Amino acid sequence: MALNSCSGVPKWERRTRLFLCIFGLFLSFYALHVEISREKDPEYRAMCDLGDSVSCSKVFTSRWGRGFGLVQFFVAKDSALNQPNSLLGIIFYTLQLALGQSVSSRAAFLLVLSSWVSMAGSLYLAGVLAFILGDFCVVCVSTYVVNFLLLFTNLKRRTGLKAVKEKTV
């Protein structure tokens, strides 16, 4: 694995992170746009609505489109704490971009930790998508792929930083 000699970060990592986070932000902003548009106009048809069982707007406006479908059990459905999952995605990808600027071991730990949390959320929502909603959401599945690739990228970064630390000790 080719590393930047002084940082321990794989050479490909920064560009890959930038691409994945920008793509993740695009998907999250688009999902938020679809949800808001559908709330304003129930007849709104998103580009990702390809059929009855391939409909992202159906997924985004379902109970699982906000707070993973779980927050509403603890607070009111319209509570400020029950935010769209897409807003959580925007926060996650922004955090990944910001933490990715640091080469500290603490930042690497937080990148990996937040990626594992995103993967847990992705697996949960994929299960909801397949087994409860019986739908296929192109935008959703794309974010799951981005989250997995970010986890891989973050694990590689952490491994590279550990290797540099061991060489200097």
Side-chain angles (χ1 to χ4, degrees):
M1 169 173 53
L3 299 175
N4 290 340
S5 60
C6 60
S7 69
V9 176
K11 290 182 179 181
W12 54 267
E13 190 266 346
R14 287 190 190 265
R15 279 180 269 137
T16 301
R17 174 180 311 287
L18 181 64
F19 171 77
L20 291 172
C21 289
I22 288 173
F23 189 51
L25 283 166
F26 169 78
L27 292 168
S28 297
F29 275 111
Y30 179 70
L32 186 60
H33 163 75
V34 169
E35 184 175 345
I36 291 169
S37 297
R38 188 72 180 261
E39 285 175 359
K40 289 181 182 177
D41 177 12
E43 299 299 315
Y44 174 78
R45 185 164 168 87
M47 289 186 303
C48 54
D49 290 341
L50 305 176
D52 288 338
S53 61
V54 182
S55 172
C56 62
S57 61
K58 184 173 109 178
V59 174
F60 299 151
T61 56
S62 74
R63 100 167 201 218
W64 291 276
R66 289 182 163 266
F68 292 87
L70 301 172
V71 174
Q72 68 183 9
F73 293 123
F74 305 103
V75 298
K77 185 178 178 180
D78 59 349
S79 168
L81 297 175
N82 194 23
Q83 292 298 315
N85 295 343
S86 54
L87 186 59
L88 300 174
I90 291 166
I91 293 167
F92 170 71
Y93 296 119
T94 302
L95 177 70
Q96 288 283 310
L97 271 174
L99 286 172
Q101 301 307 306
S102 172
V103 293
S104 74
S105 58
R106 180 175 293 200
F109 171 77
L110 291 172
L111 285 166
V112 170
L113 178 65
S114 62
S115 285
W116 277 116
V117 170
S118 80
M119 283 308 303
S122 294
L123 290 172
Y124 166 75
L125 290 173
V128 167
L129 192 62
F131 301 115
I132 296 173
L133 296 175
D135 203 329
F136 183 82
C137 171
V138 175
V139 174
C140 303
V141 172
S142 298
T143 61
Y144 306 157
V145 171
V146 169
N147 291 347
F148 173 77
L149 293 173
L150 275 170
L151 173 62
F152 176 80
T153 301
N154 291 330
L155 289 170
K156 287 293 186 183
R157 171 184 274 225
R158 192 152 185 233
T159 302
L161 290 173
K162 280 184 179 180
V164 167
K165 187 176 181 181
E166 288 172 2
K167 283 181 183 178
T168 59
V169 174

